[in-house]
């Protein structure tokens, strides 16, 4: 029979049901065998394996899982399948097997075998390309290819398959024995003093042993406390069986308990027999006692007024706590800095364990957008404290519009540069490989040759950098990594790693699932971001230069903007939390930590611990964290976590990441939701971490989506704060359909997002769906989202459509930049939803703010408020460039949109209209527009009522200027009426109306 995709699925299903039973093949079987398989061991079993391409769910890990019931298939020819043994092995043969069932008819595959030694850069050919027959009745669909030599990585390169499919491998075996290599382990950990106090310098003694079969070169060892590296030391060269004890100074530590771990050869400079046994965690914790004496801490800052307006005088008090064992005399200085102001207060005497409220002298004039308040106890260092490193406290203050972000953003076009300035066209054409349209401010700088640069002068201190940039795609797609050189005041700092792996989507369609990663023709989503935490802090006035040096060899670099930020040190573990390191997680080792994270979360959910702590470090996560479904309902587990608290050391410090694209993750959770982040059902707190996905595409008919960082029902009492999410399909999708698991129905109620940093998604930033109510996104920033950065979708997939309506949700004080597909902020149905105090910049094609009844929502009712927002360079053309959208667009596609108020808003430099009432089947009755300023509608009107629009608007205090098509335009045939609502005033619009 011919083996079709359908018959493969039927056999797979039969295998799963136990209707067909197939035994595993021996290590080597086949007509090409050169020696018996029993003489060698299959070294490839369950080792890291990767493929140049895959199709459907036939992924690379199927090819070395020990079962011929699963298999890998490529999406084309030629293709490669590479297994990484970890270190050199003496290889005797390679086995390639397919399922031996007769349903897999005879086929011939043309295969070359290649290998790479552990110290080599590239592969060499071990067995020239040859044709191998796979015959279920002859060689049981398995061949053995003799190869000899010492290699760490072995690769199959498959050029053709006579069956008409891509390359197919059910089992890839590498038969041989490990070559002699060292093997470094940490055999013992102690510290001195054994029971230190906060005033003691602590030294950790780590005993390193070479248990391997060859001598080990000199290397290093790192010691970590709670998962954060605290110190390093050199490890001498060790012969076979030799040991050495190295002393690692970790300095003074605050009172508390610390899990102590050590890892030898953290940078993998020594090739070892086993790279997975280099670390050790001490059986007991390091306990640091409190030293006698005073210790001052700022525990809070209060402002008066609590919520000041722009221009208001603000006064401050600070709460100063003495956590020490002895009193502090009066007279020390408590200092507060905000903006450019430095204010001081005199601290009274404070008894041991007591707290004093310190009045800060002077005041500060509030500025729009907010600021960071930083207070320091004992700022002049007159008190001899037991801990001098815990005196500083900081918090953000939001004022006016937008988020109070902790970084300062610098535009490349405003900097000093040598390169080519890119500027968009008048219509800001999108989707046609137009870099300037996709740039912040619609301008960026291109560096074409060595020596070209962009130079920024910092206005605040900074120890981190984010670069929004564009690099060329790799010729065959998939992106590439290149370096760009960073200088500070003329001195080289480091090479920044830039990547185009997550950018470059191709195709002429505006349907996101139709875009591909395969190069050809028009492209969009051209930019991505790279970030680095620098080794030191640089003061205000530093000249940071991004320069193309020798070795920075991309065909071009486009620099759009940079963010400079003074990142606070990693936070310490709270006493009530338990670290994921206690469950086996190891930072920065590149090994999947999912099991440890899941076990810690489950322990918290079960009440065994009070809080999950994710220490500073890079933590690999290849499965979504959720709750094991005891009923095993459906193909995918979609039961979220509940009653859990997860805390990290800061979004720059505690970072989860995945390397596997969701569609290649082997069916872990639902492919749409991905293999990273958290599935949340109820009462969950997550703060101060980062979640970095690995998606590279929005769709491909739903089979290759980029995953969701946070998803689930969310329920009540869930709060997410200070979380950075990047390279996901959706950062946070709030809600599940009622029919999913009816007994778990629990829409978001009172959900709070704050301090979020959402970057470079393929679809939404945060979407409140499925009856979400009374939920808020506050003081958060969004950049380069695919679909809406922020949305309420009052959809119908709920328990009771009369009750479970998306309502009373609010988007307040957020900054949205550069959505590359769809809106800055959108509301689809519901009531009582509010869009307030936000800033929206540079939408590619859709409105800055949109109210609409497409997506078939539950009806609008009550009031929808759009107030005190700023929209700059928003709107655009989409859907084959046939539809032009305004900065604010109201689109009643089928249902009415009643109860809309738009007030206290600035709309500037719109691509088309300022406010647009779009043609639709419903009406938009009695819109109230007050105190709105609209300037420079480049290719449209200040206010436009399209020919098919129906409804009315009342205007008062509206200023319109510099609109190409006039201030107010009502197209012929429109049934939309615009009224003057300023009774007794000069008029609702300062300029003459046109087109009525």
């Amino acid at each position: 029979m011919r083996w079709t995709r359908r018959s493969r699925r039927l056999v797979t299903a039969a295998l799963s049901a136990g209707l067909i039973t197939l035994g595993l093949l021996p290590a080597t079987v086949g007509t090409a065998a050169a020696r018996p398989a029993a003489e060698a061991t299959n070294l490839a079993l369950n080792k890291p394996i990767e493929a140049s391409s895959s199709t459907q769910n036939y992924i690379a890990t199927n090819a070395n899982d020990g079962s011929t019931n699963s298999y890998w298939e490529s999406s084309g020819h030629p293709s490669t399948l590479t297994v990484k043994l970890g270190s050199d092995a003496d290889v005797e043969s390679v086995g390639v097997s397919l399922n031996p069932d007769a349903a897999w008819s005879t086929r011939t595959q043309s295969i070359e075998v290649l290998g790479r030694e552990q110290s080599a850069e590239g592969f060499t050919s071990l067995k020239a390309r040859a044709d191998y027959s796979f015959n279920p009745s002859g060689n049981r669909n398995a061949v053995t290819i003799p190869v000899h030599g010492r290699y760490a990585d072995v690769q199959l390169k498959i050029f053709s398959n006579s069956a008409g499919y891509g390359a197919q491998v059910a089992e890839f075996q590498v038969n041989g024995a490990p070559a002699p290599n060292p093997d470094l382990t940490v055999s013992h950990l102690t510290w001195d003093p054994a029971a230190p106090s906060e005033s003691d310098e602590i030294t950790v003694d780590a005993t390193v042993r070479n248990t391997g079969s060859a001598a080990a070169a000199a290397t290093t060892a790192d010691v970590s406390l709670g998962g954060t590296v605290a110190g390093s030391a050199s490890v001498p060269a060790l012969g076979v069986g030799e040991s050495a004890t190295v002393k690692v100074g970790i300095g003074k530590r605050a009172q508390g308990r610390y899990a102590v771990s050590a890892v030898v050869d953290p940078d993998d400079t020594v090739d070892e027999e086993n790279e997975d046994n280099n670390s050790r965690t001490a059986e007991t914790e390091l306990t640091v006692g409190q030293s006698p004496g005073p210790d001052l801490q700022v525990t809070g800052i209060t402002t008066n007024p609590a919520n000041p307006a722009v221009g208001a005088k603000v006064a401050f008090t600070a709460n100063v706590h003495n956590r020490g064992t002895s009193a502090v005399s009066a007279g020390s200085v408590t200092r507060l800095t905000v903006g450019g102001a430095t204010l001081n207060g005199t601290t009274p005497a404070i008894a041991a364990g007591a707290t004093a409220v310190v009045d800060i002298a002077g005041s500060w004039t509030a500025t729009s957008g907010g600021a960071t308040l930083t207070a320091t106890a004992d700022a002049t260092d007159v008190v001899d404290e037991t801990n001098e490193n815990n005196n500083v406290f900081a918090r953000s203050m939001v004022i006016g519009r937008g988020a109070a972000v902790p970084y300062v953003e610098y535009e490349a076009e405003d900097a000093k540069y040598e390169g080519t300035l890119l500027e968009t066209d008048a219509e800001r054409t999108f989707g046609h490989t137009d870099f300037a349209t996709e740039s912040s401010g619609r301008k960026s700088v291109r560096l074409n040759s060595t020596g070209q640069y962009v130079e920024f002068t910092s206005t605040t201190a900074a120890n981190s950098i984010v670069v929004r940039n564009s690099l060329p795609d790799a010729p065959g797609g998939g992106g590439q990594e290149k370096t760009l050189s960073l200088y500070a005041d003329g001195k080289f700092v480091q090479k920044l790693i830039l990547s185009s792996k997550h950018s470059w989507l191709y195709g002429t369609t505006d349907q996101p699932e139709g875009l591909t990663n395969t190069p050809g023709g028009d492209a969009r989503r051209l930019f991505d971001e790279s970030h680095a935490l620098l080794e030191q802090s640089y003061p205000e006035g530093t000249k940071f230069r991004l320069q193309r040096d020798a070795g920075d060899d991309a065909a071009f670099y486009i620099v759009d903007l940079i963010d400079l930020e003074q990142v606070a040190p990693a936070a310490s573990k709270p006493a009530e939390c338990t670290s994921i390191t206690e469950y086996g997680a190891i930072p920065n080792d590149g090994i999947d930590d999912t099991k440890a994270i899941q076990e810690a979360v489950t322990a918290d959910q079960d009440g065994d611990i009070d809080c999950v702590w994710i220490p500073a470090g890079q933590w690999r996560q290849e499965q979504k964290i959720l709750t094991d479904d005891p009923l095993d309902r459906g193909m995918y587990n979609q039961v979220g976590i509940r009653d859990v608290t997860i805390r990290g050391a800061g979004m720059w410090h505690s970072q989860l990441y995945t390397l596997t694209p969701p569609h290649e993750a082997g069916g872990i959770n639902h492919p749409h939701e991905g293999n990273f982040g958290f599935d949340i059902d109820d009462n969950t707190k997550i703060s101060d971490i980062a979640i970095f996905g690995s998606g590279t595409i929005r769709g491909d008919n739903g089979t290759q989506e980029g995953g969701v960082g946070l998803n689930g029902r969310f329920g009540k009492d869930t709060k997410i704060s200070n979380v950075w999410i990047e390279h996901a399909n959706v950062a946070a999708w709030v809600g599940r359909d009622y029919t999913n698991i009816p007994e778990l129905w629990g829409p978001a109620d009172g959900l709070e997002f704050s301090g979020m940093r959402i970057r470079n998604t393929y679809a939404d930033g945060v979407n409140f769906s499925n009856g979400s109510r009374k939920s808020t996104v506050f003081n958060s920033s969004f950049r380069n989202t695919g679909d809406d950065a922020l949305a309420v979708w009052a959809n119908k997939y709920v328990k009771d459509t009369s009750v479970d309506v998306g309502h009373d949700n609010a988007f307040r004080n957020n900054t949205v930049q550069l959505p590359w597909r769809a809106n800055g902020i959108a509301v689809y149905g519901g009531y009582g939803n509010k869009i307030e105090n936000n800033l929206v910049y540079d939408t590619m094609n859709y409105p800055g703010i949109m109210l609409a009844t497409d997506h078939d929502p539950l009806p609008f009712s009550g009031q929808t408020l759009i107030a005190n927002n700023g929209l700059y360079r928003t709107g655009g053309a989409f859907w084959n460039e046939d539809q032009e959208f305004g900065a604010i667009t109201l689109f009643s596609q089928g249902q009415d949109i009643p109860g809309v108020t738009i007030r206290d808003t600035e709309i500037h430099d719109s691509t088309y209209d300022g406010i647009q009432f779009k043609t639709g089947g419903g009406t938009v009755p009695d819109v109230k527009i007050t105190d709105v300023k609209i300037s420079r509608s480049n290719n449209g009107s200040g206010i436009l009522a399209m020919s098919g629009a129906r409804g009315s608007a009342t205007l008062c205090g509206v200023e319109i200027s510099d609109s190409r098509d006039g201030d107010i335009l009502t197209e012929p045939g429109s049934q939309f009426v615009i009224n003057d609502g300023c009774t007794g005033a000069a008029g609702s619009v300062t300029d003459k109306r046109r087109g009525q």
Side-chain angles (χ1 to χ4, degrees):
M1 65 177 286
R2 185 178 184 274
W3 187 249
T4 65
R5 296 191 188 276
R6 179 177 181 276
S7 58
R8 284 187 291 188
R9 287 196 294 269
L10 291 173
V11 170
T12 300
L15 288 165
S16 300
L19 301 177
I20 302 175
T21 302
L22 299 174
L24 296 183
L25 294 178
T28 53
V29 180
T31 56
R35 64 179 66 204
E39 297 181 12
T41 300
N42 176 17
L43 303 174
L45 184 65
N46 295 320
K47 290 293 178 66
I49 190 169
E50 58 188 34
S52 58
S53 66
S54 298
T55 186
Q56 300 183 52
N57 291 323
Y58 307 116
I59 58 177
T61 52
N62 291 345
N64 68 337
D65 60 2
S67 170
T68 56
N69 295 343
S70 60
Y71 65 98
W72 162 72
E73 183 177 321
S74 72
S75 61
H77 297 290
S79 56
T80 59
L81 183 66
T82 307
V83 67
K84 299 182 178 182
L85 306 179
S87 60
D88 275 346
D90 291 324
V91 179
E92 299 183 6
S93 65
V94 166
V96 184
S97 307
L98 298 177
N99 193 314
D101 189 87
W104 282 73
S105 56
T106 300
R107 67 204 62 208
T108 298
Q109 298 192 80
S110 181
I111 304 173
E112 179 185 9
V113 183
L114 301 96
R116 178 170 58 191
E117 298 177 4
Q118 61 190 24
S119 60
E121 292 293 327
F123 283 88
T124 58
S125 182
L126 311 183
K127 193 73 172 181
R129 174 178 175 178
D131 290 339
Y132 297 91
S133 175
F134 295 82
N135 186 327
S137 61
N139 59 13
R140 296 197 69 215
N141 267 347
V143 300
T144 298
I145 305 171
V147 294
H148 298 282
R150 184 167 287 178
Y151 307 102
D153 302 327
V154 181
Q155 182 180 91
L156 302 178
K157 188 170 185 180
I158 303 179
F159 296 87
S160 63
N161 182 348
S162 65
Y165 300 106
Q168 295 171 316
V169 177
E171 279 300 295
F172 176 16
Q173 300 168 329
V174 178
N175 305 306
N181 262 311
D183 190 14
L184 296 174
T185 64
V186 178
S187 60
H188 196 55
L189 281 174
T190 59
W191 44 85
D192 183 39
S197 70
E198 293 173 298
S199 58
D200 291 324
E201 296 281 346
I202 305 170
T203 300
V204 174
D205 294 335
T207 301
V208 178
R209 180 177 176 82
N210 178 10
T211 63
S213 54
T219 182
T220 59
D222 287 347
V223 168
S224 296
L225 299 186
T228 302
V229 175
S232 300
S234 297
V235 177
L238 296 174
V240 175
E242 290 184 347
S243 298
T245 298
V246 297
K247 296 183 178 295
V248 182
I250 62 171
K252 298 177 182 179
R253 294 289 153 174
Q255 179 186 12
R257 296 166 62 88
Y258 301 88
V260 180
S261 60
V263 59
V264 62
D265 193 34
D267 297 324
D268 290 333
T269 59
V270 178
D271 292 309
E272 301 180 61
E273 292 177 0
N274 185 353
E275 298 286 359
D276 297 333
N277 63 351
N278 289 30
S279 63
R280 183 183 186 87
T281 299
E283 295 179 359
T284 60
E285 290 185 316
L286 167 65
T287 301
V288 179
Q290 185 174 9
S291 296
D295 186 22
L296 296 179
Q297 294 177 305
V298 177
T299 57
I301 302 170
T302 302
T303 66
N304 185 18
N307 297 294
V310 175
K313 295 290 186 181
V314 185
F316 305 91
T317 60
N319 293 341
V320 179
H321 176 67
N322 179 8
R323 65 171 288 273
T325 61
S326 59
V328 175
S329 301
S332 69
V333 173
T334 299
R335 177 167 294 159
L336 184 140
T337 60
V338 52
T342 300
L343 309 174
N344 294 319
T346 301
T347 311
I350 308 177
T355 299
V357 177
V358 180
D359 292 319
I360 306 297
S363 63
W364 171 70
T365 302
T367 58
S368 179
T372 299
L373 313 179
T374 304
T376 305
D378 190 30
T380 57
D381 199 24
V382 298
V383 179
D384 186 11
E385 300 180 69
T386 59
N387 186 349
E388 299 284 358
N389 298 317
N390 63 351
N391 290 23
V392 180
F393 175 86
R395 75 172 179 87
S396 295
M397 183 178 187
V398 181
I399 302 162
R401 298 170 180 156
V405 295
Y407 51 83
V408 178
E409 191 169 293
Y410 304 82
E411 294 282 353
E413 65 270 20
D414 296 331
K416 179 181 178 183
Y417 63 84
E418 287 187 8
T420 304
L421 178 66
L422 306 180
E423 298 183 81
T424 192
D425 60 280
E427 294 186 347
R428 297 165 179 164
T429 305
F430 171 73
H432 301 283
T433 322
D434 193 319
F435 295 99
T437 292
E438 295 197 31
S439 298
S440 175
R442 313 292 182 164
K443 297 178 183 179
S444 53
V445 174
R446 178 173 175 136
L447 309 180
N448 285 316
S449 57
T450 301
Q452 292 188 328
Y453 64 87
V454 181
E455 187 174 86
F456 310 82
T457 301
S458 65
T459 58
T460 59
N463 63 357
S464 71
I465 187 170
V466 174
V467 182
R468 186 170 194 265
N469 68 89
S470 183
L471 291 181
D473 196 1
Q480 59 182 330
E481 288 187 348
K482 295 292 182 179
T483 59
L484 188 61
S485 300
L486 174 65
Y487 291 81
D489 290 333
K491 296 182 179 179
F492 176 76
V493 175
Q494 67 182 71
K495 293 281 191 181
L496 299 177
I497 305 297
L498 278 55
S499 172
S500 56
K501 177 182 177 181
H502 301 281
S503 48
W504 292 92
L505 298 181
Y506 300 89
T508 58
T509 178
D510 290 327
Q511 291 288 355
E513 287 77 12
L515 300 172
T516 76
N517 295 132
T518 303
D522 291 337
R524 64 192 76 189
R525 201 182 188 283
L526 307 173
F527 284 85
D528 200 48
E529 298 181 16
S530 299
H531 60 270
L533 193 59
L534 307 178
E535 293 186 358
Q536 70 177 74
S537 181
Y538 294 88
E540 173 186 346
T542 299
K543 294 183 183 298
F544 287 97
R545 175 178 287 199
L546 297 172
Q547 180 168 294
R548 184 168 181 171
D549 286 351
D552 303 333
D553 57 357
F556 61 79
Y557 298 80
I558 297 174
V559 179
D560 182 24
L561 59 81
I562 69 166
D563 295 334
L564 296 176
E565 178 179 355
Q566 183 68 28
V567 177
S572 299
K573 183 180 78 67
E576 68 273 19
C577 293
T578 301
S579 174
I580 60 174
T581 59
E582 297 195 22
Y583 293 86
I586 299 172
N588 312 314
D589 65 352
I591 298 173
D592 189 4
D593 295 301
T594 301
K595 183 175 182 292
I597 300 170
Q598 182 68 69
E599 287 181 357
V601 169
T602 300
D604 190 3
Q605 184 165 289
D606 290 345
D608 297 331
I609 62 175
D610 294 327
C611 165
V612 176
W613 175 248
I614 300 180
Q618 303 284 324
W619 309 91
R620 185 173 175 186
Q621 179 197 358
E622 295 293 359
Q623 296 183 32
K624 188 177 289 290
I625 304 303
L626 35 68
T627 296
D628 184 37
D629 184 359
L631 300 181
D632 195 23
R633 287 165 285 205
M635 185 174 183
Y636 302 108
N637 184 356
Q638 297 187 61
V639 181
I641 62 177
R642 58 179 60 229
D643 305 319
V644 171
T645 297
I646 300 165
R647 300 177 63 177
M651 63 170 65
W652 277 92
H653 300 290
S654 301
Q655 300 188 334
L656 307 177
Y657 72 97
T658 176
L659 298 179
T660 307
H663 64 282
E664 295 181 3
I668 299 168
N669 202 249
H670 194 285
H672 175 79
E673 295 164 6
N675 54 313
F676 57 90
F678 299 85
D679 190 330
I680 300 168
D681 269 2
D682 190 58
N683 186 30
T684 294
K685 316 294 190 295
I686 301 178
S687 61
D688 300 299
I689 65 171
I691 301 170
F692 295 141
S694 58
T696 60
I697 195 168
R698 161 66 192 273
D700 189 15
N701 296 321
T703 63
Q704 297 189 18
E705 297 192 23
V708 183
L710 302 172
N711 63 274
R713 299 166 182 87
F714 283 82
K716 294 184 177 181
D717 301 317
T718 294
K719 293 178 173 58
I720 313 295
S721 61
N722 304 321
V723 175
W724 182 349
I725 303 176
E726 191 159 357
H727 296 147
N729 196 42
V730 176
W733 186 273
V734 179
R736 285 195 186 279
D737 294 356
Y738 172 69
T739 56
N740 177 264
I741 304 177
E743 59 268 34
L744 294 182
W745 172 250
D749 189 343
L751 168 64
E752 296 178 9
F753 287 96
S754 64
M756 304 295 290
R757 190 175 299 191
I758 309 300
R759 300 288 185 268
N760 305 305
T761 65
Y762 297 91
D764 302 70
V766 176
N767 192 309
F768 288 154
S769 186
N770 297 96
S772 298
R773 71 224 31 200
K774 301 176 184 177
S775 297
T776 305
V777 180
F778 170 72
N779 193 32
S780 298
S781 65
F782 301 77
R783 194 156 62 209
N784 206 37
T785 57
D787 282 350
D788 308 322
L790 290 163
V792 173
W793 179 27
N795 69 43
K796 296 178 178 178
Y797 310 114
V798 297
K799 182 177 181 179
D800 185 341
T801 57
S802 65
V803 174
D804 298 316
V805 181
H807 69 87
D808 293 304
N809 301 294
F811 302 131
R812 293 192 178 101
N813 286 98
N814 302 293
T815 298
V816 175
Q817 298 171 278
L818 295 152
W820 65 269
R821 186 184 182 279
N823 306 281
I825 305 174
V827 174
Y828 307 98
Y831 64 88
N833 298 301
K834 299 177 176 63
I835 302 170
E836 299 178 288
N837 310 333
N838 302 285
L839 294 171
V840 183
Y841 300 91
D842 298 305
T843 59
M844 297 297 105
N845 42 59
Y846 252 59
I849 296 175
M850 186 175 192
L851 308 182
T853 57
D854 52 351
H855 307 305
D856 192 28
L858 295 168
F860 279 91
S861 63
Q863 184 192 59
T864 302
L865 177 64
I866 301 173
N868 196 35
N869 300 287
L871 294 89
Y872 306 95
R873 299 177 298 277
T874 58
F878 206 52
W879 299 117
N880 205 30
E881 300 176 12
D882 292 332
Q883 296 189 35
E884 298 168 356
F885 293 93
I888 296 178
T889 296
L890 277 63
F891 177 32
S892 57
Q893 182 188 48
Q895 303 162 309
D896 296 345
I897 306 180
V900 177
T901 295
I902 303 172
R903 61 173 173 81
D904 305 307
T905 290
E906 182 179 21
I907 301 171
H908 177 68
D909 199 8
S910 303
T911 304
Y912 289 97
D913 309 298
I915 298 176
Q916 181 188 89
F917 298 97
K918 193 173 179 62
T919 295
T923 64
V924 187
D926 196 23
V927 179
K928 292 179 172 56
I929 303 175
T930 59
D931 298 319
V932 172
K933 183 177 181 180
I934 303 171
S935 57
R936 204 166 77 191
S937 298
N938 287 280
N939 303 290
S941 305
I943 298 176
L944 171 68
M946 297 180 68
S947 60
R950 296 186 297 157
S952 64
T954 302
L955 280 56
C956 183
V958 177
E959 298 181 21
I960 303 177
S961 60
D962 300 324
S963 300
R964 188 196 69 177
D965 296 339
D967 303 328
I968 298 177
L969 175 62
T970 302
E971 292 182 341
S974 176
Q975 300 178 50
F976 199 90
V977 178
I978 299 178
N979 301 304
D980 184 339
C982 288
T983 303
S988 61
V989 180
T990 57
D991 293 334
K992 181 181 178 182
R993 302 185 188 184
R994 300 186 179 94
Q996 297 201 61

